[in-house]
Amino acid sequence: EAADRVIKDAKMAMPHSLGHGIGLDVHDPGRFALKPRDKKMLRKFKPLKIEPGMVFTIEPGVYHSKLGGCRLEDDVLVTQNSCRVLTNTRFMRF
C-alpha cells in the first residue's frame, strides 16, 4: 500500500504487482500485491506467510501514460530478523 501510494502521488501507475517469489521458476508463487477489492478476485486471494529463507523480487513497474515506464529489480532474502538485499546495483542519474 505504501509503494502504491507513493507511485500514485507522483501521477504514475504500477499496474503489476510489487514483486514475486524466486525459486525453481523465475516467477515462483508469492506475489506482493494489493489485496483485491473485487469480490470475484478476492475469492482467489491467499495471504502469504513470509518466512526466513524465502527469496523475493521487489520490482515495481512504474509507468507514466505519456513518458513510458521503468522496472528495476532487487532480489531480497528474508532472514530471521530482517531481510538482506542480494542484488548489487546502483542507480545512475544523468
Side-chain angles (χ1 to χ4, degrees):
E1 291 176 349
D4 193 58
R5 185 173 34 256
V6 167
I7 292 165
K8 283 183 179 175
D9 287 351
K11 308 291 188 248
M12 306 277 253
M14 183 176 61
H16 311 290
S17 64
L18 181 63
H20 56 80
I22 300 175
L24 298 176
D25 195 6
V26 175
H27 291 98
D28 261 11
R31 284 185 39 185
F32 289 109
L34 293 173
K35 185 176 180 179
R37 294 182 183 194
D38 178 86
K39 289 183 180 184
K40 185 189 274 187
M41 295 299 290
L42 192 55
R43 285 187 293 207
K44 298 178 183 181
F45 179 76
K46 293 182 183 177
L48 176 68
K49 182 179 178 185
I50 298 173
E51 299 181 22
M54 291 179 158
V55 181
F56 293 94
T57 67
I58 301 297
E59 54 173 318
V62 181
Y63 301 90
H64 186 278
S65 62
K66 295 180 181 172
L67 300 174
C70 179
R71 185 178 288 232
L72 303 172
E73 178 176 324
D74 278 316
D75 299 336
V76 178
L77 169 66
V78 179
T79 65
Q80 190 66 36
N81 299 313
S82 183
C83 61
R84 189 174 96 214
V85 178
L86 301 174
T87 46
N88 185 21
T89 57
R90 62 185 175 92
F91 292 100
M92 296 175 66
R93 297 181 193 265
F94 298 95

